[in-house]
Amino acid sequence: MTVQLDSPGIDTQGTASAAEAELGTLFAQVQELDAQILDVIKRRAELAQRIGAVAKESGASREAQAEEMAVLDRFGELGADGNTLAMTLLRLGRTRRG
């Protein structure tokens, strides 16, 4: 006996709508995480800029540089993409000029 997948006896519509519903839920969760990540990155950049200003005033630039290297190490578990992400975070946190 052969059954066609598009034959009236097979409910493919229910499977498609369940998958669409799951995708919608997953996309919503990713969007929420993106919003949280963006908020955390902004806060991190503000803190890093304050650290840079205090380090410059106090002459603690070596400590700040050592911490930047530690950031690279922390994100190393993500491989090359982790290094790129760490460098981006460091750039975002540098004191803005002008």
Side-chain angles (χ1 to χ4, degrees):
M1 180 172 157
T2 304
V3 178
Q4 288 180 280
L5 291 179
D6 62 347
S7 61
I10 304 284
D11 181 17
T12 56
Q13 189 67 21
T15 304
S17 7
E20 288 173 6
E22 183 179 8
L23 279 175
T25 300
L26 293 170
F27 284 139
Q29 290 175 10
V30 167
Q31 289 169 2
E32 176 59 30
L33 285 172
D34 285 348
Q36 291 174 20
I37 290 167
L38 186 56
D39 288 342
V40 171
I41 289 172
K42 288 177 183 177
R43 177 71 178 135
R44 187 195 187 286
E46 291 169 2
L47 289 171
Q49 288 172 12
R50 285 178 48 200
I51 289 168
V54 171
K56 184 177 180 180
E57 288 175 12
S58 68
S61 61
R62 284 194 177 177
E63 289 84 357
Q65 288 174 344
E67 181 55 30
E68 285 192 358
M69 294 307 295
V71 170
L72 291 169
D73 288 343
R74 284 193 294 270
F75 283 85
E77 72 179 76
L78 299 175
D81 288 338
N83 186 53
T84 301
L85 178 57
M87 292 300 293
T88 300
L89 291 171
L90 291 171
R91 252 191 327 274
L92 287 169
R94 294 215 170 94
T95 305
R96 305 273 188 245
R97 291 178 174 83

PDB file of all heavy atoms in Angstrom, residues 44 67-92 94:
ATOM      1  N   ARG A  44      27.951  47.718  30.159  1.00  0.00           N
ATOM      2  CA  ARG A  44      29.359  47.363  30.194  1.00  0.00           C
ATOM      3  C   ARG A  44      30.221  48.473  29.601  1.00  0.00           C
ATOM      4  O   ARG A  44      31.278  48.819  30.138  1.00  0.00           O
ATOM      5  CB  ARG A  44      29.589  46.056  29.426  1.00  0.00           C
ATOM      6  CG  ARG A  44      30.995  45.535  29.558  1.00  0.00           C
ATOM      7  CD  ARG A  44      31.313  44.467  28.520  1.00  0.00           C
ATOM      8  NE  ARG A  44      32.619  43.884  28.782  1.00  0.00           N
ATOM      9  CZ  ARG A  44      33.767  44.514  28.544  1.00  0.00           C
ATOM     10  NH1 ARG A  44      33.774  45.726  28.029  1.00  0.00           N
ATOM     11  NH2 ARG A  44      34.917  43.922  28.827  1.00  0.00           N
ATOM     12  N   GLU A  67      43.549  44.026  32.427  1.00  0.00           N
ATOM     13  CA  GLU A  67      42.135  43.609  32.429  1.00  0.00           C
ATOM     14  C   GLU A  67      41.629  43.404  30.999  1.00  0.00           C
ATOM     15  O   GLU A  67      40.855  42.494  30.738  1.00  0.00           O
ATOM     16  CB  GLU A  67      41.266  44.638  33.152  1.00  0.00           C
ATOM     17  CG  GLU A  67      39.801  44.285  33.224  1.00  0.00           C
ATOM     18  CD  GLU A  67      39.487  42.925  33.838  1.00  0.00           C
ATOM     19  OE1 GLU A  67      40.242  42.452  34.712  1.00  0.00           O
ATOM     20  OE2 GLU A  67      38.473  42.313  33.435  1.00  0.00           O
ATOM     21  N   GLU A  68      42.083  44.214  30.060  1.00  0.00           N
ATOM     22  CA  GLU A  68      41.693  44.011  28.666  1.00  0.00           C
ATOM     23  C   GLU A  68      42.177  42.658  28.165  1.00  0.00           C
ATOM     24  O   GLU A  68      41.455  41.957  27.460  1.00  0.00           O
ATOM     25  CB  GLU A  68      42.218  45.146  27.775  1.00  0.00           C
ATOM     26  CG  GLU A  68      41.434  46.424  27.930  1.00  0.00           C
ATOM     27  CD  GLU A  68      41.751  47.452  26.858  1.00  0.00           C
ATOM     28  OE1 GLU A  68      42.628  47.199  25.992  1.00  0.00           O
ATOM     29  OE2 GLU A  68      41.102  48.508  26.876  1.00  0.00           O
ATOM     30  N   MET A  69      43.374  42.276  28.531  1.00  0.00           N
ATOM     31  CA  MET A  69      43.884  40.959  28.134  1.00  0.00           C
ATOM     32  C   MET A  69      43.053  39.846  28.772  1.00  0.00           C
ATOM     33  O   MET A  69      42.793  38.817  28.150  1.00  0.00           O
ATOM     34  CB  MET A  69      45.359  40.811  28.519  1.00  0.00           C
ATOM     35  CG  MET A  69      46.293  41.757  27.762  1.00  0.00           C
ATOM     36  SD  MET A  69      46.118  41.674  25.959  1.00  0.00           S
ATOM     37  CE  MET A  69      46.669  40.027  25.632  1.00  0.00           C
ATOM     38  N   ALA A  70      42.606  40.062  29.996  1.00  0.00           N
ATOM     39  CA  ALA A  70      41.767  39.073  30.677  1.00  0.00           C
ATOM     40  C   ALA A  70      40.425  38.920  29.965  1.00  0.00           C
ATOM     41  O   ALA A  70      39.865  37.820  29.904  1.00  0.00           O
ATOM     42  CB  ALA A  70      41.562  39.464  32.131  1.00  0.00           C
ATOM     43  N   VAL A  71      39.919  40.015  29.410  1.00  0.00           N
ATOM     44  CA  VAL A  71      38.665  39.948  28.646  1.00  0.00           C
ATOM     45  C   VAL A  71      38.856  39.025  27.441  1.00  0.00           C
ATOM     46  O   VAL A  71      38.016  38.163  27.167  1.00  0.00           O
ATOM     47  CB  VAL A  71      38.203  41.355  28.191  1.00  0.00           C
ATOM     48  CG1 VAL A  71      37.041  41.264  27.207  1.00  0.00           C
ATOM     49  CG2 VAL A  71      37.809  42.204  29.394  1.00  0.00           C
ATOM     50  N   LEU A  72      39.957  39.190  26.753  1.00  0.00           N
ATOM     51  CA  LEU A  72      40.245  38.323  25.600  1.00  0.00           C
ATOM     52  C   LEU A  72      40.315  36.863  26.024  1.00  0.00           C
ATOM     53  O   LEU A  72      39.781  35.982  25.345  1.00  0.00           O
ATOM     54  CB  LEU A  72      41.549  38.753  24.922  1.00  0.00           C
ATOM     55  CG  LEU A  72      41.499  40.103  24.206  1.00  0.00           C
ATOM     56  CD1 LEU A  72      42.908  40.532  23.807  1.00  0.00           C
ATOM     57  CD2 LEU A  72      40.592  40.047  22.998  1.00  0.00           C
ATOM     58  N   ASP A  73      40.934  36.621  27.165  1.00  0.00           N
ATOM     59  CA  ASP A  73      41.030  35.242  27.673  1.00  0.00           C
ATOM     60  C   ASP A  73      39.648  34.679  28.009  1.00  0.00           C
ATOM     61  O   ASP A  73      39.358  33.520  27.705  1.00  0.00           O
ATOM     62  CB  ASP A  73      41.915  35.183  28.921  1.00  0.00           C
ATOM     63  CG  ASP A  73      43.388  35.390  28.605  1.00  0.00           C
ATOM     64  OD1 ASP A  73      43.777  35.258  27.418  1.00  0.00           O
ATOM     65  OD2 ASP A  73      44.148  35.701  29.544  1.00  0.00           O
ATOM     66  N   ARG A  74      38.806  35.494  28.651  1.00  0.00           N
ATOM     67  CA  ARG A  74      37.483  35.011  29.052  1.00  0.00           C
ATOM     68  C   ARG A  74      36.631  34.601  27.858  1.00  0.00           C
ATOM     69  O   ARG A  74      35.865  33.649  27.926  1.00  0.00           O
ATOM     70  CB  ARG A  74      36.745  36.079  29.867  1.00  0.00           C
ATOM     71  CG  ARG A  74      37.242  36.202  31.291  1.00  0.00           C
ATOM     72  CD  ARG A  74      36.308  37.010  32.149  1.00  0.00           C
ATOM     73  NE  ARG A  74      36.198  38.404  31.794  1.00  0.00           N
ATOM     74  CZ  ARG A  74      36.966  39.382  32.279  1.00  0.00           C
ATOM     75  NH1 ARG A  74      37.934  39.115  33.133  1.00  0.00           N
ATOM     76  NH2 ARG A  74      36.770  40.637  31.918  1.00  0.00           N
ATOM     77  N   PHE A  75      36.752  35.323  26.766  1.00  0.00           N
ATOM     78  CA  PHE A  75      35.932  35.022  25.592  1.00  0.00           C
ATOM     79  C   PHE A  75      36.594  34.002  24.674  1.00  0.00           C
ATOM     80  O   PHE A  75      36.021  33.595  23.674  1.00  0.00           O
ATOM     81  CB  PHE A  75      35.592  36.308  24.824  1.00  0.00           C
ATOM     82  CG  PHE A  75      34.515  37.116  25.484  1.00  0.00           C
ATOM     83  CD1 PHE A  75      34.816  38.008  26.497  1.00  0.00           C
ATOM     84  CD2 PHE A  75      33.190  36.970  25.105  1.00  0.00           C
ATOM     85  CE1 PHE A  75      33.829  38.738  27.123  1.00  0.00           C
ATOM     86  CE2 PHE A  75      32.193  37.691  25.725  1.00  0.00           C
ATOM     87  CZ  PHE A  75      32.509  38.580  26.748  1.00  0.00           C
ATOM     88  N   GLY A  76      37.806  33.574  25.020  1.00  0.00           N
ATOM     89  CA  GLY A  76      38.540  32.618  24.208  1.00  0.00           C
ATOM     90  C   GLY A  76      37.830  31.295  24.021  1.00  0.00           C
ATOM     91  O   GLY A  76      38.032  30.613  23.015  1.00  0.00           O
ATOM     92  N   GLU A  77      36.979  30.919  24.980  1.00  0.00           N
ATOM     93  CA  GLU A  77      36.278  29.633  24.849  1.00  0.00           C
ATOM     94  C   GLU A  77      35.341  29.605  23.648  1.00  0.00           C
ATOM     95  O   GLU A  77      34.923  28.536  23.219  1.00  0.00           O
ATOM     96  CB  GLU A  77      35.525  29.286  26.130  1.00  0.00           C
ATOM     97  CG  GLU A  77      34.291  30.119  26.388  1.00  0.00           C
ATOM     98  CD  GLU A  77      33.589  29.700  27.669  1.00  0.00           C
ATOM     99  OE1 GLU A  77      34.074  30.047  28.753  1.00  0.00           O
ATOM    100  OE2 GLU A  77      32.554  29.030  27.554  1.00  0.00           O
ATOM    101  N   LEU A  78      35.033  30.767  23.085  1.00  0.00           N
ATOM    102  CA  LEU A  78      34.183  30.828  21.892  1.00  0.00           C
ATOM    103  C   LEU A  78      34.995  30.782  20.606  1.00  0.00           C
ATOM    104  O   LEU A  78      34.445  30.917  19.517  1.00  0.00           O
ATOM    105  CB  LEU A  78      33.321  32.104  21.915  1.00  0.00           C
ATOM    106  CG  LEU A  78      32.351  32.240  23.086  1.00  0.00           C
ATOM    107  CD1 LEU A  78      31.655  33.597  23.040  1.00  0.00           C
ATOM    108  CD2 LEU A  78      31.328  31.117  23.083  1.00  0.00           C
ATOM    109  N   GLY A  79      36.294  30.620  20.720  1.00  0.00           N
ATOM    110  CA  GLY A  79      37.148  30.540  19.541  1.00  0.00           C
ATOM    111  C   GLY A  79      37.374  31.892  18.904  1.00  0.00           C
ATOM    112  O   GLY A  79      37.347  32.930  19.566  1.00  0.00           O
ATOM    113  N   ALA A  80      37.568  31.877  17.593  1.00  0.00           N
ATOM    114  CA  ALA A  80      37.864  33.114  16.852  1.00  0.00           C
ATOM    115  C   ALA A  80      36.725  34.119  16.979  1.00  0.00           C
ATOM    116  O   ALA A  80      36.967  35.327  17.096  1.00  0.00           O
ATOM    117  CB  ALA A  80      38.126  32.794  15.384  1.00  0.00           C
ATOM    118  N   ASP A  81      35.492  33.634  16.978  1.00  0.00           N
ATOM    119  CA  ASP A  81      34.357  34.542  17.127  1.00  0.00           C
ATOM    120  C   ASP A  81      34.356  35.193  18.508  1.00  0.00           C
ATOM    121  O   ASP A  81      33.963  36.349  18.668  1.00  0.00           O
ATOM    122  CB  ASP A  81      33.033  33.814  16.896  1.00  0.00           C
ATOM    123  CG  ASP A  81      32.812  33.458  15.431  1.00  0.00           C
ATOM    124  OD1 ASP A  81      33.433  34.104  14.555  1.00  0.00           O
ATOM    125  OD2 ASP A  81      32.036  32.530  15.161  1.00  0.00           O
ATOM    126  N   GLY A  82      34.805  34.457  19.520  1.00  0.00           N
ATOM    127  CA  GLY A  82      34.909  35.016  20.865  1.00  0.00           C
ATOM    128  C   GLY A  82      35.926  36.134  20.917  1.00  0.00           C
ATOM    129  O   GLY A  82      35.709  37.159  21.569  1.00  0.00           O
ATOM    130  N   ASN A  83      37.033  35.956  20.208  1.00  0.00           N
ATOM    131  CA  ASN A  83      38.048  36.999  20.135  1.00  0.00           C
ATOM    132  C   ASN A  83      37.489  38.248  19.461  1.00  0.00           C
ATOM    133  O   ASN A  83      37.704  39.367  19.926  1.00  0.00           O
ATOM    134  CB  ASN A  83      39.281  36.489  19.389  1.00  0.00           C
ATOM    135  CG  ASN A  83      40.410  37.486  19.415  1.00  0.00           C
ATOM    136  OD1 ASN A  83      40.798  37.951  20.466  1.00  0.00           O
ATOM    137  ND2 ASN A  83      40.939  37.810  18.253  1.00  0.00           N
ATOM    138  N   THR A  84      36.748  38.042  18.397  1.00  0.00           N
ATOM    139  CA  THR A  84      36.132  39.177  17.694  1.00  0.00           C
ATOM    140  C   THR A  84      35.134  39.893  18.603  1.00  0.00           C
ATOM    141  O   THR A  84      35.099  41.126  18.662  1.00  0.00           O
ATOM    142  CB  THR A  84      35.426  38.685  16.409  1.00  0.00           C
ATOM    143  OG1 THR A  84      36.400  38.059  15.574  1.00  0.00           O
ATOM    144  CG2 THR A  84      34.762  39.826  15.665  1.00  0.00           C
ATOM    145  N   LEU A  85      34.331  39.110  19.311  1.00  0.00           N
ATOM    146  CA  LEU A  85      33.354  39.695  20.231  1.00  0.00           C
ATOM    147  C   LEU A  85      34.054  40.470  21.341  1.00  0.00           C
ATOM    148  O   LEU A  85      33.667  41.598  21.670  1.00  0.00           O
ATOM    149  CB  LEU A  85      32.458  38.602  20.816  1.00  0.00           C
ATOM    150  CG  LEU A  85      31.416  39.035  21.837  1.00  0.00           C
ATOM    151  CD1 LEU A  85      30.482  40.094  21.269  1.00  0.00           C
ATOM    152  CD2 LEU A  85      30.620  37.834  22.318  1.00  0.00           C
ATOM    153  N   ALA A  86      35.110  39.891  21.915  1.00  0.00           N
ATOM    154  CA  ALA A  86      35.858  40.573  22.974  1.00  0.00           C
ATOM    155  C   ALA A  86      36.455  41.881  22.465  1.00  0.00           C
ATOM    156  O   ALA A  86      36.376  42.909  23.146  1.00  0.00           O
ATOM    157  CB  ALA A  86      36.957  39.660  23.508  1.00  0.00           C
ATOM    158  N   MET A  87      37.027  41.858  21.287  1.00  0.00           N
ATOM    159  CA  MET A  87      37.610  43.079  20.716  1.00  0.00           C
ATOM    160  C   MET A  87      36.536  44.143  20.491  1.00  0.00           C
ATOM    161  O   MET A  87      36.767  45.330  20.736  1.00  0.00           O
ATOM    162  CB  MET A  87      38.342  42.771  19.407  1.00  0.00           C
ATOM    163  CG  MET A  87      39.597  41.933  19.585  1.00  0.00           C
ATOM    164  SD  MET A  87      40.839  42.711  20.647  1.00  0.00           S
ATOM    165  CE  MET A  87      41.310  44.100  19.647  1.00  0.00           C
ATOM    166  N   THR A  88      35.362  43.715  20.050  1.00  0.00           N
ATOM    167  CA  THR A  88      34.262  44.660  19.844  1.00  0.00           C
ATOM    168  C   THR A  88      33.835  45.273  21.178  1.00  0.00           C
ATOM    169  O   THR A  88      33.627  46.482  21.274  1.00  0.00           O
ATOM    170  CB  THR A  88      33.071  43.954  19.167  1.00  0.00           C
ATOM    171  OG1 THR A  88      33.506  43.448  17.904  1.00  0.00           O
ATOM    172  CG2 THR A  88      31.904  44.902  18.960  1.00  0.00           C
ATOM    173  N   LEU A  89      33.704  44.438  22.208  1.00  0.00           N
ATOM    174  CA  LEU A  89      33.330  44.953  23.526  1.00  0.00           C
ATOM    175  C   LEU A  89      34.379  45.929  24.049  1.00  0.00           C
ATOM    176  O   LEU A  89      34.032  46.975  24.624  1.00  0.00           O
ATOM    177  CB  LEU A  89      33.150  43.799  24.517  1.00  0.00           C
ATOM    178  CG  LEU A  89      31.944  42.903  24.279  1.00  0.00           C
ATOM    179  CD1 LEU A  89      32.004  41.685  25.198  1.00  0.00           C
ATOM    180  CD2 LEU A  89      30.644  43.661  24.467  1.00  0.00           C
ATOM    181  N   LEU A  90      35.636  45.600  23.851  1.00  0.00           N
ATOM    182  CA  LEU A  90      36.704  46.497  24.293  1.00  0.00           C
ATOM    183  C   LEU A  90      36.642  47.829  23.546  1.00  0.00           C
ATOM    184  O   LEU A  90      36.789  48.894  24.152  1.00  0.00           O
ATOM    185  CB  LEU A  90      38.074  45.842  24.110  1.00  0.00           C
ATOM    186  CG  LEU A  90      38.350  44.656  25.042  1.00  0.00           C
ATOM    187  CD1 LEU A  90      39.632  43.943  24.628  1.00  0.00           C
ATOM    188  CD2 LEU A  90      38.409  45.105  26.491  1.00  0.00           C
ATOM    189  N   ARG A  91      36.407  47.777  22.243  1.00  0.00           N
ATOM    190  CA  ARG A  91      36.294  49.009  21.454  1.00  0.00           C
ATOM    191  C   ARG A  91      35.122  49.859  21.930  1.00  0.00           C
ATOM    192  O   ARG A  91      35.226  51.076  22.044  1.00  0.00           O
ATOM    193  CB  ARG A  91      36.130  48.672  19.971  1.00  0.00           C
ATOM    194  CG  ARG A  91      37.346  48.966  19.140  1.00  0.00           C
ATOM    195  CD  ARG A  91      37.130  48.899  17.635  1.00  0.00           C
ATOM    196  NE  ARG A  91      36.163  47.943  17.159  1.00  0.00           N
ATOM    197  CZ  ARG A  91      36.404  46.659  16.902  1.00  0.00           C
ATOM    198  NH1 ARG A  91      37.597  46.155  17.116  1.00  0.00           N
ATOM    199  NH2 ARG A  91      35.461  45.877  16.438  1.00  0.00           N
ATOM    200  N   LEU A  92      33.989  49.200  22.195  1.00  0.00           N
ATOM    201  CA  LEU A  92      32.809  49.930  22.654  1.00  0.00           C
ATOM    202  C   LEU A  92      33.043  50.602  24.002  1.00  0.00           C
ATOM    203  O   LEU A  92      32.445  51.641  24.302  1.00  0.00           O
ATOM    204  CB  LEU A  92      31.606  48.991  22.762  1.00  0.00           C
ATOM    205  CG  LEU A  92      30.987  48.535  21.453  1.00  0.00           C
ATOM    206  CD1 LEU A  92      29.988  47.401  21.701  1.00  0.00           C
ATOM    207  CD2 LEU A  92      30.290  49.696  20.766  1.00  0.00           C
ATOM    208  N   ARG A  94      35.959  51.793  25.170  1.00  0.00           N
ATOM    209  CA  ARG A  94      37.027  52.791  25.231  1.00  0.00           C
ATOM    210  C   ARG A  94      36.422  54.181  25.315  1.00  0.00           C
ATOM    211  O   ARG A  94      35.368  54.462  24.748  1.00  0.00           O
ATOM    212  CB  ARG A  94      37.921  52.669  24.001  1.00  0.00           C
ATOM    213  CG  ARG A  94      38.655  51.325  24.040  1.00  0.00           C
ATOM    214  CD  ARG A  94      40.054  51.394  23.484  1.00  0.00           C
ATOM    215  NE  ARG A  94      40.745  50.161  23.769  1.00  0.00           N
ATOM    216  CZ  ARG A  94      40.821  49.126  22.946  1.00  0.00           C
ATOM    217  NH1 ARG A  94      40.263  49.196  21.755  1.00  0.00           N
ATOM    218  NH2 ARG A  94      41.470  48.037  23.299  1.00  0.00           N
TER     219      ARG A  94
END
